Amino acid sequence: MFNPFKETWKIEVIESGSFKLDGGAMMGSVPKVLWEKTNPSDKLNRIDLSMRCLLLDNGKDVILIETGIGNKISQKFIDMFCIEQSNFPLKDKLKKCGYTLDDITHVILTHLHFDHVGGATYFNGAEIVPTFPNAKYIISKSNWDAAINPNPKDRASYLSENFISIQKNRQLELVEDNQKIMDGIESIAVNGHTTGQQLIKITVGNQHLVFCSDLIPLKSHLKIPWIMGYDLNATQTLKEKTIFLDEASEKNWVLFLYHDPKTVAVRIKKNDKHYEVVDEYLVYE
């Protein structure tokens, strides 16, 4: 079972569902003849993606990182993105792990794109409300500002129904970039994909796990030039990836992958040409 912090944190990998996006958009300028070897596409050129959340429990705090796509979606939306999940993904998956929605004390969101934050709220039959009534929702201030005033390139990814009720219910906690969130948990700000994305780094002693979100969405993106077409600034992403992966290699970080359909996490080592995977945790391993 995946858990690099067995003596300190109980960890649960929460597979909230899957969906598909255009392979070319996910791989940017990389030709299909290269990326289809590792990420085969369907007849509409879409590749499989997971929405893999991470639960941390230290006996006092129960922290959920990311919330999947949620269930406030139309059939048209489901068909467009080929979404596969249960009717109430997080409630169902948490129940299997022995938790309820009420148990979650903190929800940390890397950024507010719909495939990461949709499960943060739900429609209760009368209105849209936060999914976790007892939780603080922790979001970077810079990404919150980007979400409520989106630019034309990623406006379609910031859907207000996924996050406005968090503020209305006074459960929103905004943090500055590169901040300690709580003991053993801190953020790493990266802005190439979207303004204010915060990677989440968990540290116990000399062991480190980083929730890579959309800086490294798939194992394939460990290759430096493989950068999503969705990113606002590919050149900035390239710089951020290089700095991040160099440090991850040097310090032997575990890199947790949100979108890879088969690989939960990896450790890497830099060689002369690229970053080699030296340890890999697979789904259901």
Side-chain angles (χ1 to χ4, degrees):
M1 182 179 293
F2 172 78
N3 188 349
F5 306 132
K6 291 183 178 67
E7 296 181 359
T8 306
W9 293 94
K10 177 182 177 183
I11 288 182
E12 297 286 352
V13 176
I14 308 295
E15 301 281 356
S16 72
S18 65
F19 71 124
K20 295 179 184 286
L21 287 177
D22 183 85
M26 284 298 298
M27 304 304 179
S29 61
V30 179
K32 183 176 181 180
V33 69
L34 294 180
W35 61 252
E36 69 178 350
K37 294 177 182 178
T38 52
N39 300 89
S41 62
D42 65 11
K43 63 182 180 181
L44 297 179
N45 208 51
R46 302 175 302 182
I47 64 172
D48 294 332
L49 300 172
S50 73
M51 293 176 285
R52 181 177 299 115
C53 310
L54 184 64
L55 183 138
L56 307 166
D57 181 352
N58 63 6
K60 175 185 175 183
D61 300 311
V62 182
I63 302 154
L64 183 66
I65 303 177
E66 230 73 314
T67 64
I69 211 163
N71 58 6
K72 307 181 304 299
I73 47 180
S74 67
Q75 189 59 50
K76 179 181 178 181
F77 197 89
I78 292 170
D79 293 341
M80 181 186 304
F81 295 106
C82 200
I83 298 166
E84 294 186 8
Q85 60 182 21
S86 66
N87 291 331
F88 205 147
L90 288 177
K91 182 178 181 180
D92 297 338
K93 294 294 184 178
L94 288 172
K95 183 178 180 180
K96 289 184 177 181
C97 298
Y99 295 89
T100 70
L101 301 178
D102 292 348
D103 292 331
I104 305 302
T105 61
H106 300 79
V107 177
I108 303 176
L109 298 165
T110 65
H111 62 297
L112 298 175
H113 283 172
F114 68 80
D115 54 317
H116 293 255
V117 71
T121 64
Y122 78 106
F123 182 66
N124 67 3
E127 59 181 338
I128 294 174
V129 297
T131 302
F132 305 98
N134 301 319
K136 294 180 180 179
Y137 285 76
I138 300 169
I139 304 162
S140 79
K141 182 180 184 300
S142 54
N143 187 247
W144 178 265
D145 291 342
I148 61 175
N149 296 293
N151 66 62
K153 191 174 190 299
D154 59 357
R155 180 176 291 126
S157 294
Y158 287 120
L159 308 179
S160 62
E161 61 266 29
N162 288 331
F163 47 82
I164 290 300
S165 68
I166 298 170
Q167 183 185 50
K168 289 182 178 179
N169 283 269
R170 299 182 180 180
Q171 291 177 243
L172 178 66
E173 181 175 324
L174 298 179
V175 296
E176 297 297 332
D177 294 345
N178 300 308
Q179 289 294 303
K180 174 182 175 181
I181 294 175
M182 60 181 67
D183 287 344
I185 301 179
E186 62 186 293
S187 66
I188 301 171
V190 288
N191 296 286
H193 176 60
T194 190
T195 302
Q197 180 181 197
Q198 55 179 8
L199 313 187
I200 306 303
K201 181 182 175 187
I202 302 105
T203 300
V204 175
N206 62 354
Q207 295 290 314
H208 308 278
L209 180 151
V210 183
F211 193 102
C212 293
S213 193
D214 280 348
L215 180 67
I216 315 289
L218 298 166
K219 179 183 171 183
S220 300
H221 291 100
L222 292 169
K223 302 179 183 71
I224 290 293
W226 294 43
I227 294 171
M228 291 190 291
Y230 297 111
D231 287 12
L232 294 183
N233 188 326
T235 301
Q236 186 169 4
T237 295
L238 189 148
K239 293 177 181 178
E240 290 169 342
K241 280 180 66 174
T242 302
I243 293 169
F244 175 80
L245 291 175
D246 280 352
E247 187 170 6
S249 171
E250 179 184 351
K251 297 181 179 178
N252 200 34
W253 291 351
V254 176
L255 306 181
F256 188 92
L257 306 177
Y258 181 68
H259 281 312
D260 196 287
K262 296 181 180 179
T263 301
V264 173
V266 298
R267 295 182 195 267
I268 60 170
K269 186 61 63 177
K270 186 178 183 181
N271 59 32
D272 292 339
K273 295 183 178 180
H274 58 270
Y275 300 92
E276 177 186 359
V277 173
V278 295
D279 198 5
E280 184 172 5
Y281 302 87
L282 300 176
V283 174
Y284 306 127
E285 186 174 275

